[in-house]
Each structure stands twice: as structure tokens, then as C-alpha cells.
PDB file of all heavy atoms in Angstrom:
ATOM      1  N   MET A  55      -2.240  19.678   0.286  1.00 95.00           N
ATOM      2  CA  MET A  55      -2.554  18.544  -0.564  1.00 95.00           C
ATOM      3  C   MET A  55      -1.502  17.436  -0.438  1.00 95.00           C
ATOM      4  O   MET A  55      -1.839  16.279  -0.546  1.00 95.00           O
ATOM      5  CB  MET A  55      -2.670  19.012  -2.007  1.00 95.00           C
ATOM      6  CG  MET A  55      -2.647  17.864  -2.961  1.00 95.00           C
ATOM      7  SD  MET A  55      -3.825  17.915  -4.242  1.00 95.00           S
ATOM      8  CE  MET A  55      -3.025  16.834  -5.374  1.00 95.00           C
ATOM      9  N   PHE A  56      -0.247  17.823  -0.224  1.00 97.00           N
ATOM     10  CA  PHE A  56       0.808  16.810  -0.138  1.00 97.00           C
ATOM     11  C   PHE A  56       0.508  15.771   0.937  1.00 97.00           C
ATOM     12  O   PHE A  56       0.584  14.566   0.686  1.00 97.00           O
ATOM     13  CB  PHE A  56       2.175  17.455   0.122  1.00 97.00           C
ATOM     14  CG  PHE A  56       3.213  16.441   0.519  1.00 97.00           C
ATOM     15  CD1 PHE A  56       3.786  15.612  -0.425  1.00 97.00           C
ATOM     16  CD2 PHE A  56       3.593  16.298   1.850  1.00 97.00           C
ATOM     17  CE1 PHE A  56       4.727  14.651  -0.059  1.00 97.00           C
ATOM     18  CE2 PHE A  56       4.531  15.346   2.225  1.00 97.00           C
ATOM     19  CZ  PHE A  56       5.101  14.520   1.269  1.00 97.00           C
ATOM     20  N   ALA A  57       0.188  16.219   2.144  1.00 97.00           N
ATOM     21  CA  ALA A  57      -0.009  15.281   3.256  1.00 97.00           C
ATOM     22  C   ALA A  57      -1.149  14.311   2.976  1.00 97.00           C
ATOM     23  O   ALA A  57      -1.003  13.094   3.172  1.00 97.00           O
ATOM     24  CB  ALA A  57      -0.264  16.047   4.555  1.00 97.00           C
ATOM     25  N   ALA A  58      -2.275  14.827   2.523  1.00 97.00           N
ATOM     26  CA  ALA A  58      -3.423  13.959   2.243  1.00 97.00           C
ATOM     27  C   ALA A  58      -3.094  12.975   1.129  1.00 97.00           C
ATOM     28  O   ALA A  58      -3.421  11.781   1.224  1.00 97.00           O
ATOM     29  CB  ALA A  58      -4.641  14.802   1.873  1.00 97.00           C
ATOM     30  N   THR A  59      -2.439  13.444   0.086  1.00 98.00           N
ATOM     31  CA  THR A  59      -2.085  12.577  -1.044  1.00 98.00           C
ATOM     32  C   THR A  59      -1.095  11.503  -0.604  1.00 98.00           C
ATOM     33  O   THR A  59      -1.236  10.332  -0.972  1.00 98.00           O
ATOM     34  CB  THR A  59      -1.501  13.424  -2.191  1.00 98.00           C
ATOM     35  OG1 THR A  59      -2.453  14.419  -2.555  1.00 98.00           O
ATOM     36  CG2 THR A  59      -1.193  12.574  -3.398  1.00 98.00           C
ATOM     37  N   PHE A  60      -0.116  11.891   0.203  1.00 98.00           N
ATOM     38  CA  PHE A  60       0.860  10.916   0.684  1.00 98.00           C
ATOM     39  C   PHE A  60       0.183   9.835   1.520  1.00 98.00           C
ATOM     40  O   PHE A  60       0.460   8.635   1.356  1.00 98.00           O
ATOM     41  CB  PHE A  60       1.972  11.593   1.481  1.00 98.00           C
ATOM     42  CG  PHE A  60       2.994  10.621   1.997  1.00 98.00           C
ATOM     43  CD1 PHE A  60       3.901  10.028   1.136  1.00 98.00           C
ATOM     44  CD2 PHE A  60       3.033  10.286   3.346  1.00 98.00           C
ATOM     45  CE1 PHE A  60       4.839   9.117   1.607  1.00 98.00           C
ATOM     46  CE2 PHE A  60       3.966   9.389   3.825  1.00 98.00           C
ATOM     47  CZ  PHE A  60       4.873   8.800   2.956  1.00 98.00           C
ATOM     48  N   VAL A  61      -0.704  10.223   2.414  1.00 98.00           N
ATOM     49  CA  VAL A  61      -1.405   9.239   3.256  1.00 98.00           C
ATOM     50  C   VAL A  61      -2.240   8.303   2.385  1.00 98.00           C
ATOM     51  O   VAL A  61      -2.253   7.080   2.592  1.00 98.00           O
ATOM     52  CB  VAL A  61      -2.258   9.938   4.332  1.00 98.00           C
ATOM     53  CG1 VAL A  61      -3.195   8.957   5.019  1.00 98.00           C
ATOM     54  CG2 VAL A  61      -1.365  10.621   5.356  1.00 98.00           C
ATOM     55  N   LEU A  62      -2.932   8.845   1.407  1.00 98.00           N
ATOM     56  CA  LEU A  62      -3.731   8.000   0.507  1.00 98.00           C
ATOM     57  C   LEU A  62      -2.846   6.999  -0.236  1.00 98.00           C
ATOM     58  O   LEU A  62      -3.192   5.811  -0.343  1.00 98.00           O
ATOM     59  CB  LEU A  62      -4.505   8.864  -0.491  1.00 98.00           C
ATOM     60  CG  LEU A  62      -5.630   9.705   0.101  1.00 98.00           C
ATOM     61  CD1 LEU A  62      -6.088  10.758  -0.903  1.00 98.00           C
ATOM     62  CD2 LEU A  62      -6.789   8.829   0.547  1.00 98.00           C
ATOM     63  N   LEU A  63      -1.720   7.474  -0.748  1.00 98.00           N
ATOM     64  CA  LEU A  63      -0.809   6.572  -1.459  1.00 98.00           C
ATOM     65  C   LEU A  63      -0.218   5.528  -0.519  1.00 98.00           C
ATOM     66  O   LEU A  63      -0.068   4.361  -0.902  1.00 98.00           O
ATOM     67  CB  LEU A  63       0.307   7.372  -2.133  1.00 98.00           C
ATOM     68  CG  LEU A  63      -0.124   8.241  -3.315  1.00 98.00           C
ATOM     69  CD1 LEU A  63       1.043   9.089  -3.809  1.00 98.00           C
ATOM     70  CD2 LEU A  63      -0.701   7.395  -4.436  1.00 98.00           C
ATOM     71  N   LEU A  64       0.100   5.927   0.697  1.00 98.00           N
ATOM     72  CA  LEU A  64       0.643   4.980   1.674  1.00 98.00           C
ATOM     73  C   LEU A  64      -0.390   3.910   2.028  1.00 98.00           C
ATOM     74  O   LEU A  64      -0.060   2.719   2.128  1.00 98.00           O
ATOM     75  CB  LEU A  64       1.113   5.716   2.921  1.00 98.00           C
ATOM     76  CG  LEU A  64       1.900   4.904   3.938  1.00 98.00           C
ATOM     77  CD1 LEU A  64       3.172   4.323   3.318  1.00 98.00           C
ATOM     78  CD2 LEU A  64       2.251   5.766   5.138  1.00 98.00           C
ATOM     79  N   LEU A  65      -1.639   4.297   2.188  1.00 98.00           N
ATOM     80  CA  LEU A  65      -2.692   3.314   2.460  1.00 98.00           C
ATOM     81  C   LEU A  65      -2.857   2.347   1.293  1.00 98.00           C
ATOM     82  O   LEU A  65      -2.993   1.136   1.491  1.00 98.00           O
ATOM     83  CB  LEU A  65      -4.008   4.019   2.785  1.00 98.00           C
ATOM     84  CG  LEU A  65      -4.034   4.783   4.109  1.00 98.00           C
ATOM     85  CD1 LEU A  65      -5.329   5.589   4.235  1.00 98.00           C
ATOM     86  CD2 LEU A  65      -3.869   3.843   5.283  1.00 98.00           C
ATOM     87  N   GLY A  66      -2.853   2.880   0.065  1.00 98.00           N
ATOM     88  CA  GLY A  66      -2.926   2.009  -1.115  1.00 98.00           C
ATOM     89  C   GLY A  66      -1.746   1.055  -1.161  1.00 98.00           C
ATOM     90  O   GLY A  66      -1.890  -0.131  -1.473  1.00 98.00           O
ATOM     91  N   HIS A  67      -0.568   1.566  -0.836  1.00 98.00           N
ATOM     92  CA  HIS A  67       0.647   0.744  -0.811  1.00 98.00           C
ATOM     93  C   HIS A  67       0.531  -0.379   0.216  1.00 98.00           C
ATOM     94  O   HIS A  67       0.823  -1.540  -0.086  1.00 98.00           O
ATOM     95  CB  HIS A  67       1.860   1.634  -0.501  1.00 98.00           C
ATOM     96  CG  HIS A  67       3.086   0.859  -0.175  1.00 98.00           C
ATOM     97  ND1 HIS A  67       3.900   0.317  -1.141  1.00 98.00           N
ATOM     98  CD2 HIS A  67       3.632   0.508   1.017  1.00 98.00           C
ATOM     99  CE1 HIS A  67       4.884  -0.333  -0.559  1.00 98.00           C
ATOM    100  NE2 HIS A  67       4.748  -0.223   0.756  1.00 98.00           N
ATOM    101  N   TRP A  68       0.122  -0.011   1.420  1.00 98.00           N
ATOM    102  CA  TRP A  68      -0.002  -1.044   2.463  1.00 98.00           C
ATOM    103  C   TRP A  68      -1.013  -2.117   2.075  1.00 98.00           C
ATOM    104  O   TRP A  68      -0.795  -3.308   2.322  1.00 98.00           O
ATOM    105  CB  TRP A  68      -0.376  -0.419   3.796  1.00 98.00           C
ATOM    106  CG  TRP A  68       0.751   0.271   4.485  1.00 98.00           C
ATOM    107  CD1 TRP A  68       2.087   0.073   4.309  1.00 98.00           C
ATOM    108  CD2 TRP A  68       0.625   1.285   5.488  1.00 98.00           C
ATOM    109  NE1 TRP A  68       2.794   0.905   5.141  1.00 98.00           N
ATOM    110  CE2 TRP A  68       1.948   1.653   5.870  1.00 98.00           C
ATOM    111  CE3 TRP A  68      -0.451   1.917   6.087  1.00 98.00           C
ATOM    112  CZ2 TRP A  68       2.181   2.620   6.837  1.00 98.00           C
ATOM    113  CZ3 TRP A  68      -0.199   2.890   7.050  1.00 98.00           C
ATOM    114  CH2 TRP A  68       1.103   3.236   7.420  1.00 98.00           C
ATOM    115  N   LEU A  69      -2.126  -1.707   1.490  1.00 98.00           N
ATOM    116  CA  LEU A  69      -3.111  -2.700   1.038  1.00 98.00           C
ATOM    117  C   LEU A  69      -2.511  -3.641   0.001  1.00 98.00           C
ATOM    118  O   LEU A  69      -2.700  -4.857   0.054  1.00 98.00           O
ATOM    119  CB  LEU A  69      -4.349  -2.003   0.461  1.00 98.00           C
ATOM    120  CG  LEU A  69      -5.299  -1.373   1.467  1.00 98.00           C
ATOM    121  CD1 LEU A  69      -6.336  -0.526   0.748  1.00 98.00           C
ATOM    122  CD2 LEU A  69      -5.970  -2.450   2.303  1.00 98.00           C
ATOM    123  N   ALA A  70      -1.786  -3.070  -0.963  1.00 98.00           N
ATOM    124  CA  ALA A  70      -1.209  -3.887  -2.035  1.00 98.00           C
ATOM    125  C   ALA A  70      -0.062  -4.757  -1.537  1.00 98.00           C
ATOM    126  O   ALA A  70       0.125  -5.877  -2.029  1.00 98.00           O
ATOM    127  CB  ALA A  70      -0.733  -2.987  -3.169  1.00 98.00           C
ATOM    128  N   ASP A  71       0.719  -4.268  -0.588  1.00 97.00           N
ATOM    129  CA  ASP A  71       1.882  -5.024  -0.117  1.00 97.00           C
ATOM    130  C   ASP A  71       1.546  -6.084   0.914  1.00 97.00           C
ATOM    131  O   ASP A  71       2.329  -7.014   1.103  1.00 97.00           O
ATOM    132  CB  ASP A  71       2.927  -4.066   0.474  1.00 97.00           C
ATOM    133  CG  ASP A  71       4.235  -4.087  -0.296  1.00 97.00           C
ATOM    134  OD1 ASP A  71       4.251  -4.581  -1.441  1.00 97.00           O
ATOM    135  OD2 ASP A  71       5.236  -3.595   0.241  1.00 97.00           O
ATOM    136  N   TYR A  72       0.420  -5.947   1.591  1.00 97.00           N
ATOM    137  CA  TYR A  72       0.104  -6.910   2.647  1.00 97.00           C
ATOM    138  C   TYR A  72      -1.162  -7.721   2.348  1.00 97.00           C
ATOM    139  O   TYR A  72      -1.044  -8.857   1.897  1.00 97.00           O
ATOM    140  CB  TYR A  72       0.104  -6.216   4.017  1.00 97.00           C
ATOM    141  CG  TYR A  72       1.480  -5.645   4.319  1.00 97.00           C
ATOM    142  CD1 TYR A  72       1.732  -4.284   4.257  1.00 97.00           C
ATOM    143  CD2 TYR A  72       2.548  -6.494   4.603  1.00 97.00           C
ATOM    144  CE1 TYR A  72       3.012  -3.778   4.494  1.00 97.00           C
ATOM    145  CE2 TYR A  72       3.829  -6.002   4.839  1.00 97.00           C
ATOM    146  CZ  TYR A  72       4.049  -4.643   4.784  1.00 97.00           C
ATOM    147  OH  TYR A  72       5.304  -4.146   5.007  1.00 97.00           O
ATOM    148  N   PRO A  73      -2.382  -7.230   2.539  1.00 98.00           N
ATOM    149  CA  PRO A  73      -3.527  -8.116   2.332  1.00 98.00           C
ATOM    150  C   PRO A  73      -3.766  -8.543   0.882  1.00 98.00           C
ATOM    151  O   PRO A  73      -4.351  -9.594   0.641  1.00 98.00           O
ATOM    152  CB  PRO A  73      -4.719  -7.319   2.878  1.00 98.00           C
ATOM    153  CG  PRO A  73      -4.274  -5.919   2.964  1.00 98.00           C
ATOM    154  CD  PRO A  73      -2.793  -5.933   3.104  1.00 98.00           C
ATOM    155  N   PHE A  74      -3.302  -7.749  -0.101  1.00 98.00           N
ATOM    156  CA  PHE A  74      -3.567  -8.109  -1.485  1.00 98.00           C
ATOM    157  C   PHE A  74      -2.375  -8.742  -2.206  1.00 98.00           C
ATOM    158  O   PHE A  74      -2.472  -9.055  -3.391  1.00 98.00           O
ATOM    159  CB  PHE A  74      -4.066  -6.886  -2.275  1.00 98.00           C
ATOM    160  CG  PHE A  74      -5.497  -6.549  -1.964  1.00 98.00           C
ATOM    161  CD1 PHE A  74      -5.802  -5.611  -0.984  1.00 98.00           C
ATOM    162  CD2 PHE A  74      -6.541  -7.176  -2.621  1.00 98.00           C
ATOM    163  CE1 PHE A  74      -7.122  -5.301  -0.681  1.00 98.00           C
ATOM    164  CE2 PHE A  74      -7.847  -6.876  -2.326  1.00 98.00           C
ATOM    165  CZ  PHE A  74      -8.149  -5.940  -1.351  1.00 98.00           C
ATOM    166  N   GLN A  75      -1.256  -8.954  -1.534  1.00 98.00           N
ATOM    167  CA  GLN A  75      -0.119  -9.637  -2.154  1.00 98.00           C
ATOM    168  C   GLN A  75      -0.259 -11.132  -1.892  1.00 98.00           C
ATOM    169  O   GLN A  75      -0.385 -11.559  -0.738  1.00 98.00           O
ATOM    170  CB  GLN A  75       1.213  -9.135  -1.584  1.00 98.00           C
ATOM    171  CG  GLN A  75       2.397  -9.827  -2.199  1.00 98.00           C
ATOM    172  CD  GLN A  75       3.729  -9.229  -1.785  1.00 98.00           C
ATOM    173  OE1 GLN A  75       4.693  -9.369  -2.497  1.00 98.00           O
ATOM    174  NE2 GLN A  75       3.809  -8.562  -0.639  1.00 98.00           N
ATOM    175  N   THR A  76      -0.241 -11.900  -2.956  1.00 97.00           N
ATOM    176  CA  THR A  76      -0.381 -13.346  -2.803  1.00 97.00           C
ATOM    177  C   THR A  76       0.935 -13.959  -2.327  1.00 97.00           C
ATOM    178  O   THR A  76       2.010 -13.372  -2.476  1.00 97.00           O
ATOM    179  CB  THR A  76      -0.780 -14.007  -4.137  1.00 97.00           C
ATOM    180  OG1 THR A  76       0.307 -13.888  -5.063  1.00 97.00           O
ATOM    181  CG2 THR A  76      -2.041 -13.375  -4.726  1.00 97.00           C
ATOM    182  N   ASP A  77       0.836 -15.141  -1.768  1.00 98.00           N
ATOM    183  CA  ASP A  77       2.035 -15.875  -1.368  1.00 98.00           C
ATOM    184  C   ASP A  77       2.937 -16.108  -2.578  1.00 98.00           C
ATOM    185  O   ASP A  77       4.162 -16.019  -2.483  1.00 98.00           O
ATOM    186  CB  ASP A  77       1.671 -17.216  -0.736  1.00 98.00           C
ATOM    187  CG  ASP A  77       1.057 -17.079   0.640  1.00 98.00           C
ATOM    188  OD1 ASP A  77       1.209 -16.012   1.266  1.00 98.00           O
ATOM    189  OD2 ASP A  77       0.421 -18.056   1.091  1.00 98.00           O
ATOM    190  N   HIS A  78       2.326 -16.429  -3.719  1.00 98.00           N
ATOM    191  CA  HIS A  78       3.097 -16.669  -4.943  1.00 98.00           C
ATOM    192  C   HIS A  78       3.882 -15.421  -5.341  1.00 98.00           C
ATOM    193  O   HIS A  78       5.067 -15.505  -5.679  1.00 98.00           O
ATOM    194  CB  HIS A  78       2.154 -17.106  -6.072  1.00 98.00           C
ATOM    195  CG  HIS A  78       2.860 -17.317  -7.375  1.00 98.00           C
ATOM    196  ND1 HIS A  78       3.712 -18.364  -7.588  1.00 98.00           N
ATOM    197  CD2 HIS A  78       2.847 -16.594  -8.520  1.00 98.00           C
ATOM    198  CE1 HIS A  78       4.203 -18.283  -8.824  1.00 98.00           C
ATOM    199  NE2 HIS A  78       3.687 -17.216  -9.395  1.00 98.00           N
ATOM    200  N   GLN A  79       3.227 -14.255  -5.311  1.00 97.00           N
ATOM    201  CA  GLN A  79       3.920 -13.013  -5.650  1.00 97.00           C
ATOM    202  C   GLN A  79       5.072 -12.759  -4.682  1.00 97.00           C
ATOM    203  O   GLN A  79       6.181 -12.420  -5.105  1.00 97.00           O
ATOM    204  CB  GLN A  79       2.952 -11.832  -5.629  1.00 97.00           C
ATOM    205  CG  GLN A  79       1.964 -11.835  -6.766  1.00 97.00           C
ATOM    206  CD  GLN A  79       0.866 -10.801  -6.580  1.00 97.00           C
ATOM    207  OE1 GLN A  79       0.594 -10.337  -5.473  1.00 97.00           O
ATOM    208  NE2 GLN A  79       0.204 -10.451  -7.670  1.00 97.00           N
ATOM    209  N   ALA A  80       4.820 -12.896  -3.401  1.00 96.00           N
ATOM    210  CA  ALA A  80       5.853 -12.640  -2.396  1.00 96.00           C
ATOM    211  C   ALA A  80       7.057 -13.562  -2.582  1.00 96.00           C
ATOM    212  O   ALA A  80       8.202 -13.127  -2.448  1.00 96.00           O
ATOM    213  CB  ALA A  80       5.269 -12.797  -0.995  1.00 96.00           C
TER     214      ALA A  80
END
């Protein structure tokens, strides 16, 4: 379960840090 959960969290993180982070937030 650890590996799958980590990958899911990493994907969520990448989405939030890159395509969903606004210029204003950055």
C-alpha cells in the first residue's frame, strides 16, 4: 500500500505545484 499511496500523493503534489499553481501564488 505504501508505494501506491506515495505515487498517488506525488501525482497530486505535481498537479498542485505545476499546472494548478497560479502565477500569483508562485
Side-chain angles (χ1 to χ4, degrees):
M55 166 136 158
F56 167 76
T59 303
F60 180 73
V61 169
L62 291 166
L63 291 174
L64 189 60
L65 292 173
H67 168 81
W68 284 338
L69 285 170
D71 243 16
Y72 298 106
F74 284 94
Q75 180 173 204
T76 67
D77 288 342
H78 178 70
Q79 289 170 339

